[in-house]
Amino acid sequence: KFKPRKDLSVFENTFRAYQGFLFHGIPAYFSGDSVKYVERTESLSLTGLPVRDVVVLVIGESVSSFRMSAFGYERDTTPFLSRVRQEGKGVFLDGYASATSTVSAMTALLLGLNDPRDINALRGQEANLFRLARKSGFQTHYFSAQRSNVVDRVDMSDVDDFHSIDTSEDIARDGELAILKRLQGLEAGFRHFVVIQMRIGHAPYDYYKKILPDIPDTTRDPNSIDNYENSIWGTDWLLEQIMVAVSSLS
């Protein structure tokens, strides 16, 4: 697996990337060991749900169900989600990203695309979630702990309230904690559709220290498995805080 090294030049990292593609990627493709495009055909029927005034879509970052105790992992990495699942208060399914690129994956998710290369769907954007939410009477909000260019392919003209790490000083400083404050600050009594994009879970994995500095770091390697699992624990904690904030608005 190729991973850029900070101690190497751009040329050296580029050379290593092409080397990995030629000597590992191509042979894996022809041997059948490469990652396959997965198309899910089953549908999820949610009938009889109450009308909600606050709808929040949380987009996690690099979270694998293989490391989540809510999906059976032995380490208790998701105490909140595990409790929700045990109490039967949620629907838990394996999910597959439409792309490895953040830009492509965000485009597919926010436009309801199975394939982010669907040019006609990209042009029309009939299933743009913000457009649909606004037509349904929601105030629309986009809070992101990542850069704004990850949604460059999405028409964001129907977003009433746009904040990202490169457009808002509080998010640049405090990350997801600032997003929580913005969520808590929404005016009750109105219909809100909120998309939250997280940064926690992205390499280097020790970013979680910005959110939860008291979690012990047992290794000096920011990209260690321990730090990755700590970032999942941090993601789980953030989800619980988001649920509390949404409950106070509803």
Side-chain angles (χ1 to χ4, degrees):
K1 296 180 180 179
F2 170 73
K3 182 185 296 182
R5 287 172 46 184
K6 296 180 180 180
D7 59 320
L8 298 180
S9 66
V10 173
F11 173 79
E12 289 173 302
N13 273 317
T14 302
F15 176 77
R16 292 178 68 243
Y18 278 109
Q19 187 181 45
F21 174 71
L22 290 172
F23 294 103
H24 298 283
I26 292 178
Y29 175 80
F30 285 105
S31 67
D33 293 331
S34 61
V35 176
K36 302 294 190 304
Y37 180 77
V38 178
E39 184 172 354
R40 303 298 294 269
T41 56
E42 67 269 25
S43 61
L44 176 63
S45 178
L46 298 176
T47 59
L49 293 179
V51 175
R52 299 292 185 184
D53 289 328
V54 181
V55 177
V56 180
L57 170 62
V58 181
I59 303 173
E61 171 62 52
S62 303
V63 176
S64 170
S65 60
F66 293 112
R67 299 281 177 177
M68 300 173 68
S69 53
F71 285 86
Y73 185 56
E74 61 270 15
R75 182 181 174 187
D76 189 17
T77 54
T78 55
F80 169 66
L81 288 178
S82 296
R83 186 171 71 251
V84 170
R85 184 166 194 172
Q86 289 169 0
E87 295 173 354
K89 295 181 178 179
V91 177
F92 289 78
L93 298 172
D94 287 323
Y96 296 87
S98 296
T100 55
S101 159
T102 301
V103 174
S104 297
M106 287 292 292
T107 301
L109 183 57
L110 295 177
L111 298 184
L113 305 180
N114 192 48
D115 186 344
R117 299 167 297 180
D118 188 336
I119 299 300
N120 292 327
L122 286 171
R123 289 172 179 166
Q125 303 208 9
E126 289 86 356
N128 184 308
L129 295 184
F130 295 108
R131 186 179 302 172
L132 296 175
R134 182 182 266 187
K135 286 182 178 179
S136 298
F138 287 87
Q139 294 181 11
T140 54
H141 312 266
Y142 176 74
F143 302 146
S144 175
Q146 300 198 34
R147 298 184 65 82
S148 57
N149 62 358
V150 300
V151 290
D152 277 352
R153 300 176 189 170
V154 180
D155 180 3
M156 304 295 278
S157 60
D158 286 298
V159 178
D160 301 309
D161 189 23
F162 186 107
H163 297 279
S164 62
I165 196 171
D166 55 335
T167 64
S168 301
E169 292 183 1
D170 58 334
I171 297 180
R173 182 183 62 251
D174 301 323
E176 286 85 346
L177 296 179
I179 291 176
L180 273 176
K181 289 183 179 179
R182 288 189 174 274
L183 181 64
Q184 294 162 349
L186 296 182
E187 192 172 355
F190 291 87
R191 306 190 77 195
H192 298 284
F193 174 69
V194 187
V195 173
I196 295 175
Q197 183 187 16
M198 293 191 182
R199 162 66 177 78
I200 190 170
H202 195 292
Y205 303 130
D206 61 352
Y207 168 88
Y208 70 85
K209 297 176 184 177
K210 186 174 185 176
I211 312 301
L212 296 168
D214 295 332
I215 297 181
D217 181 0
T218 58
T219 174
R220 296 181 180 180
D221 180 5
N223 290 314
S224 68
I225 293 296
D226 281 346
N227 274 325
Y228 175 68
E229 292 182 355
N230 285 342
S231 73
I232 293 182
W233 196 95
T235 299
D236 182 77
W237 179 84
L238 285 167
L239 288 173
E240 183 174 17
Q241 305 312 306
I242 291 171
M243 288 288 290
V244 171
V246 171
S247 297
S248 67
L249 288 171
S250 302

